[in-house]
Amino acid sequence: LIEPPPEMDGPTALSYVLIRAGPPVLLFQWIANEMQAVSNVVDAKSSHPWTPSAHFNDGPRPTWRVLFSRLQANTSEQTAVTLGTALVMSQCAAPWDARVAVGWALCFVVSRVVYAVGYMDRGSNGLWRLPGLIAGGFWGNAGALVYMVLVVTGCAAPSVTAAFACYLGTAPALVITLFPLVGAIKAADTKASTA
């Protein structure tokens, strides 16, 4: 599956990653979608088993169906970003070869199972989601993409040091910038809705 590849040009590297990473990632996405559909069948005795609004609950203790629905939606979002990151990585993973992109995608699949177990655990207040979330590339995708943007634009030379700096530095940078930004948007919305 991840045998050492020969020297590859761009299209060959893209094919290498797509053939090896695409099937397990997309299969996992299918399983997440199917689990959501099956939850509708299992809950068929409820008053609204097929109504999308029946899946959502703003209360502090969401039902298992709500958790499944949220997990499936989140997995859909992360599948697209992770597979996209892996495909771009096949073209721009210097100083590594395309095997890094395949490993990246496969790690997502395994970590997503860990994430799902943590997501369904109601007693941890969501904390058990973090191991699977972090190992599965939630913030790592952003770090990898920042690295690739810097390399492609010539702002940084391909190097292990630059890659790890982006991988480890992007999450704190996002937290420092996005949390205050989202807080300001929320405050402005709250002010507008009470005016």
Side-chain angles (χ1 to χ4, degrees), residues 21-37 68-83 108-109 112:
V25 171
L26 294 173
L27 176 62
F28 188 79
Q29 179 59 58
W30 179 86
I31 290 168
N33 293 346
E34 194 63 18
M35 286 176 66
Q36 173 62 36
F68 257 55
S69 182
R70 291 177 186 173
L71 177 62
Q72 186 273 334
N74 184 271
T75 298
S76 294
E77 296 162 3
Q78 289 305 308
T79 295
V81 173
T82 301
L83 188 56
F108 166 77
V109 173
R112 209 66 193 166

Side-chain angles (χ1 to χ4, degrees), residues 105-185:
L106 296 178
C107 183
F108 166 77
V109 173
V110 172
S111 297
R112 209 66 193 166
V113 173
V114 174
Y115 176 76
V117 170
Y119 204 100
M120 297 306 289
D121 178 21
R122 296 181 197 196
S124 68
N125 201 20
L127 292 178
W128 283 110
R129 299 176 195 179
L130 287 176
L133 187 72
I134 292 168
F138 181 71
W139 289 296
N141 284 325
L145 292 167
V146 166
Y147 170 72
M148 290 183 277
V149 166
L150 293 174
V151 169
V152 167
T153 59
C155 295
S159 73
V160 172
T161 302
F164 279 111
C166 290
Y167 183 78
L168 297 174
T170 299
L174 289 172
V175 169
I176 289 168
T177 56
L178 292 181
F179 276 75
L181 177 62
V182 171
I185 292 168

